[in-house]
Amino acid sequence: MRTLLLAFILTGLLCSPSFAQKAVHLMPAADSPAIGPALQSDLPASHGSNDIAQAWLSTSQTRISHGALGDVPETSVLTVRTRGGAMLSYALPDDSVFEDLIPRVHDLNGDGHDEVILVRSRLHTGSSLMLLGIRAGKLMPLAESVPLDQPGQWLNPVGVADVDGDGRMEILVVLTPHSNGTLIEYNLVEGTLVQGHLISGVTNHVMGSRDQGMSALMDANGDGHPDVIVPATDRRSIHALAFDEKAPLEFSRIYLPARAAGNFEMLPPATLIVPLEDGRRMVIEWR
């Protein structure tokens, strides 16, 4: 099938004179490449690089149902398989669930031990970001952010990367992505999640969707550090944000012909595919 490409160049909002002009192609729905299979009801495992070989969620619960992820049952137990083959589990108390689909496994502080990053939701407050890891042969909580104020308020992680080039890994999260979301940066410092920069007016999730990947961490401006790519709250534009130790910089903004909807896909060296709610794909070649 011959692919029809509606090609055009957008200069966007350029805040850096060294940033290269980008090409943007709009692909009709019939010719759009598959982004990948949708998440199924059986939650997949994630893989670590150090003491945690695999991590997955299990034990469905109905005690809390906010519906952020649609009809996927919330889970209450995290299980890991260690590098040595041992199976370890941690169960949340009765007032909580993991309102999440995939554990994120990273060594956040470079100590040779993996941390597992998950979204915890409670019955009487909003969600929080929770870190777990193996200590003294047990899987246990290591740190947790302050819960959001109201029951039903949720957060969705963007990912983990050293976005400001300081040699430390940052956790990027969107708080309340369904209502004027705020991008927040966390660092793990001496066992505590320390809040960094805040940027309001963004999102990375559609209420009720299983797709938690409507954002990206990629080097869009070519400076050697990952940038944060997130939609605006109304999902009609894409914001590209560069971080340093002083403040984030929005160096590009691309307006979309329809709302963003679904997981973003990254292709080397610097191409981003943004699915739209009308079935088309926006292919952004950053450089």
Side-chain angles (χ1 to χ4, degrees):
M1 179 186 298
R2 190 175 72 177
T3 301
L4 175 63
L5 295 179
L6 304 178
F8 50 95
I9 302 296
L10 296 181
T11 58
L13 177 62
L14 301 181
C15 301
S16 170
S18 63
F19 182 70
Q21 193 176 49
K22 54 197 166 295
V24 182
H25 311 283
L26 183 62
M27 304 183 69
D31 295 328
S32 298
I35 295 266
L39 291 171
Q40 303 300 316
S41 57
D42 294 329
L43 300 182
S46 298
H47 300 272
S49 301
N50 297 293
D51 50 352
I52 295 178
Q54 287 183 302
W56 63 92
L57 295 169
S58 59
T59 310
S60 299
Q61 298 288 345
T62 58
R63 57 196 181 203
I64 300 175
S65 181
H66 296 149
L69 297 170
D71 59 358
V72 178
E74 284 82 10
T75 61
S76 61
V77 176
L78 170 68
T79 300
V80 304
R81 181 172 62 84
T82 70
R83 192 64 56 186
M87 304 284 283
L88 303 174
S89 293
Y90 174 81
L92 288 171
D94 290 343
D95 69 339
S96 304
V97 295
F98 292 119
E99 198 165 7
D100 212 339
L101 294 178
I102 305 175
R104 302 152 194 87
V105 186
H106 298 271
D107 182 359
L108 294 171
N109 53 9
D111 64 354
H113 296 284
D114 290 319
E115 286 81 36
V116 182
I117 305 167
L118 284 165
V119 179
R120 176 183 183 179
S121 293
R122 292 174 172 81
L123 185 61
H124 300 296
T125 62
S127 297
S128 59
L129 191 71
M130 188 175 190
L131 305 187
L132 303 99
I134 300 172
R135 297 294 184 269
K138 296 182 179 180
L139 182 62
M140 61 179 61
L142 302 177
E144 190 169 356
S145 67
V146 176
L148 297 172
D149 293 334
Q150 300 298 321
Q153 288 185 327
W154 186 66
L155 58 87
N156 189 33
V158 173
V160 175
D162 179 10
V163 294
D164 57 12
D166 65 353
R168 300 183 301 172
M169 302 295 282
E170 286 81 39
I171 310 172
L172 289 307
V173 178
V174 176
L175 309 180
T176 62
H178 308 133
S179 59
N180 193 32
T182 299
L183 177 69
I184 185 170
E185 171 192 7
Y186 287 110
N187 282 284
L188 180 61
V189 180
E190 297 182 352
T192 301
L193 282 173
V194 178
Q195 177 182 309
H197 300 298
L198 294 168
I199 302 172
S200 61
V202 301
T203 187
N204 66 341
H205 187 258
V206 178
M207 181 67 182
S209 171
R210 298 184 185 188
D211 293 336
Q212 289 185 261
M214 196 173 66
S215 55
L217 289 169
M218 61 188 303
D219 184 9
N221 60 8
D223 67 353
H225 303 300
D227 305 305
V228 182
I229 316 296
V230 288
T233 299
D234 63 5
R235 296 184 282 124
R236 292 204 174 268
S237 61
I238 298 295
H239 298 244
L241 304 163
F243 283 69
D244 60 27
E245 295 184 5
K246 295 181 180 179
L249 170 70
E250 181 187 348
F251 61 82
S252 182
R253 185 182 302 181
I254 295 178
Y255 293 90
L256 305 174
R259 296 182 193 274
N263 293 329
F264 289 4
E265 183 183 15
M266 293 174 286
L267 301 175
T271 297
L272 182 69
I273 300 178
V274 177
L276 306 178
E277 64 180 0
D278 62 7
R280 294 179 292 174
R281 302 282 191 268
M282 185 72 85
V283 181
I284 304 169
E285 298 175 9
W286 290 103
R287 48 188 171 83

